Amino acid sequence: MGKIIANVSSTLNGIYTGPTGEEDNMVSWALPGIMDATDDGLVFFQKVDAILMGRVTYEGFASYWPFQEGDWADAMNKTQKYVVTKNSEPTEVHWGDYAETVTLLHSDVMTKIKELKKQIKGDIIVPASAGLVQSLINADLLDELRIIIHPVLMGSGKYYFDNIHTRHDMKLIETKLYGKSGSIQLRYEIGEAQGE
């Protein structure tokens, strides 16, 4: 059975976007830590069996990665991808010359993701995709969280764990400090929902 792992960058106070009005500009604060961790990130993406993502992440990735070359592009383009949508948009998904590597999941999505976990033996990574990750946690389907905490406080923006409905205790698996940027990667196993 596959393991679903969320992979995210966050400010120290839990924001994963740019400030209000600049939500798409997380690079302004995350880039030093992302660059610091890029080698570890590449190794991780090269090992996963599938990538699961929400619509917004898909739109950003699909407009960029199919047209790039190199190790990162190979990891993104050749790995099987699944795109989750909560509504009727999009009705089709594309990935440049790698059309056979991307599949759209809509309607009864959590049931379909449960089936994916049974079918896929290795890791399934969820990059960014905050709404999807929140839904996976609430459905008890997320197994692990890999989060890079950046030494930044943001006064506004979107919070990665905004809509968690239940308590989940977590077990720390690994930590890694990136000394150049001051960012730290934390890996947690996520426990099942607890009564509150």
Side-chain angles (χ1 to χ4, degrees):
M1 178 179 284
K3 183 166 68 168
I4 299 180
I5 303 170
N7 189 68
V8 67
S9 283
S10 169
T11 65
L12 189 60
N13 58 327
I15 291 173
Y16 74 101
T17 67
T20 300
E22 299 178 50
E23 280 85 0
D24 294 334
N25 192 25
M26 72 172 284
V27 171
S28 67
W29 56 264
L31 190 59
I34 290 171
M35 295 305 295
D36 225 358
T38 193
D39 290 343
D40 290 340
L42 175 59
V43 169
F44 182 53
F45 269 85
Q46 287 173 327
K47 290 180 179 178
V48 301
D49 284 2
I51 301 170
L52 179 66
M53 66 190 94
R55 178 188 57 82
V56 175
T57 301
Y58 155 72
E59 288 174 352
F61 283 7
S63 67
Y64 179 78
W65 285 114
F67 313 103
Q68 305 305 309
E69 296 180 351
D71 292 340
W72 264 106
D74 286 346
M76 298 302 294
N77 294 330
K78 296 178 181 179
T79 303
Q80 189 62 45
K81 291 165 283 291
Y82 298 90
V83 179
V84 172
T85 180
K86 291 185 283 189
N87 50 43
S88 58
E89 297 292 332
T91 56
E92 296 180 341
V93 287
H94 306 278
W95 203 272
D97 293 335
Y98 303 88
E100 73 285 355
T101 69
V102 63
T103 302
L104 179 64
L105 302 178
H106 58 82
S107 73
D108 203 13
V109 168
M110 291 302 134
T111 299
K112 290 177 180 174
I113 292 173
K114 280 183 188 178
E115 289 304 310
L116 268 183
K117 284 186 75 171
K118 292 176 185 174
Q119 295 166 14
I120 295 173
K121 294 180 181 178
D123 293 337
I124 304 165
I125 189 171
V126 186
S129 305
L132 173 57
V133 169
Q134 292 163 23
S135 296
L136 291 168
I137 291 172
N138 290 329
D140 264 343
L141 289 175
L142 192 69
D143 300 293
E144 184 180 320
L145 172 67
R146 293 172 60 105
I147 185 167
I148 296 180
I149 305 292
H150 300 260
V152 178
L153 295 172
M154 193 78 71
S156 64
K158 294 181 180 178
Y159 290 87
Y160 195 73
F161 299 107
D162 227 6
N163 295 299
I164 304 303
H165 301 148
T166 51
R167 170 181 166 175
H168 294 261
D169 293 340
M170 302 193 297
K171 177 183 177 183
L172 183 64
I173 304 169
E174 181 183 25
T175 64
K176 182 166 184 179
L177 174 64
Y178 296 103
K180 187 174 179 182
S181 63
S183 299
I184 186 167
Q185 179 175 263
L186 305 171
R187 288 181 57 208
Y188 289 101
E189 285 180 359
I190 299 181
E192 293 182 357
Q194 306 292 315
E196 295 192 66

